[in-house]
Amino acid sequence: MTEFSDLSRDERALYNPVFTGLVVGRAVQGHQTEFGSPCPVVVAVLAAVMALQPAIRTRLPRTTASGLHRWVQENTPVKTSMAQNASAVADVVRPGLLTALQTNLLSCDGEGQLYAPKGRLKKGITGGSEEVVAIQKSAHLLGRWLPSTGSISTVMTLLGVRP
């Protein structure tokens, strides 16, 4: 990943804690929509990390009906991108998660799982640019899709990353 000072102003805006918190929130919202239950923190962070990477975002399936295992096999650059960038992008996502919790965009239940309190996160996804909207939509899809494969450790193994 490039150094923060090397990024354009628009790119830096995508990595600010308020926006990355929103991206984590969209992943949690997607999970809640699909499963009707709070979202594990690791799923929310992994979904945000993936959604923020253009090389991954542009390859995502349109629906959750696609199998993750087959998708990863057919999209080998995804595994490469995750291996190269996941740690650095996660370093940007974590302050966003903290911001989302501090501003009550997200809350944490007694078991340490995340949920979006009613009325804090609108259903409609909007933004100032197509990229901002695409990132949010991708996080929402990933929040729904990643856990459908099975255990999150299996998902992470398929993607070539460790918890």
Side-chain angles (χ1 to χ4, degrees):
M1 186 155 170
T2 58
E3 292 294 320
F4 192 74
S5 59
D6 294 338
L7 300 174
S8 72
R9 194 173 117 207
D10 291 340
E11 289 171 318
R12 280 193 300 269
L14 294 177
Y15 295 118
N16 78 67
V18 173
F19 182 68
T20 58
L22 175 61
V23 174
V24 172
R26 291 298 183 192
V28 170
Q29 184 183 45
H31 185 277
Q32 281 181 217
T33 300
E34 187 74 16
F35 299 99
S37 63
C39 180
V41 172
V42 68
V43 171
V45 171
L46 182 60
V49 165
M50 291 176 72
L52 285 165
Q53 295 183 67
I56 295 173
R57 191 173 58 248
T58 58
R59 294 177 182 278
L60 289 175
R62 295 196 187 279
T63 71
T64 58
S66 300
L68 182 69
H69 187 270
R70 182 174 167 191
W71 177 78
V72 170
Q73 286 180 330
E74 292 173 354
N75 293 279
T76 53
V78 168
K79 198 168 184 176
T80 303
S81 185
M82 287 298 287
Q84 291 175 345
N85 302 322
S87 187
V89 177
D91 287 344
V92 174
V93 170
R94 280 190 290 273
L97 172 57
L98 180 59
T99 299
L101 289 166
Q102 289 174 332
T103 60
N104 297 318
L105 179 70
L106 295 176
S107 292
C108 193
D109 69 8
E111 296 173 10
Q113 296 196 39
L114 302 170
Y115 65 94
K118 291 199 184 288
R120 294 295 296 162
L121 194 56
K122 294 179 182 178
K123 283 189 178 183
I125 296 176
T126 60
S129 72
E130 288 181 29
E131 185 173 25
V132 166
V133 171
I135 291 169
Q136 291 181 71
K137 286 182 177 181
S138 295
H140 191 272
L141 171 79
L142 287 160
R144 293 172 34 230
W145 187 45
L146 291 175
S148 67
T149 298
S151 76
I152 197 62
S153 61
T154 300
V155 171
M156 295 181 88
T157 301
L158 286 172
L159 294 170
V161 295
R162 291 183 293 193

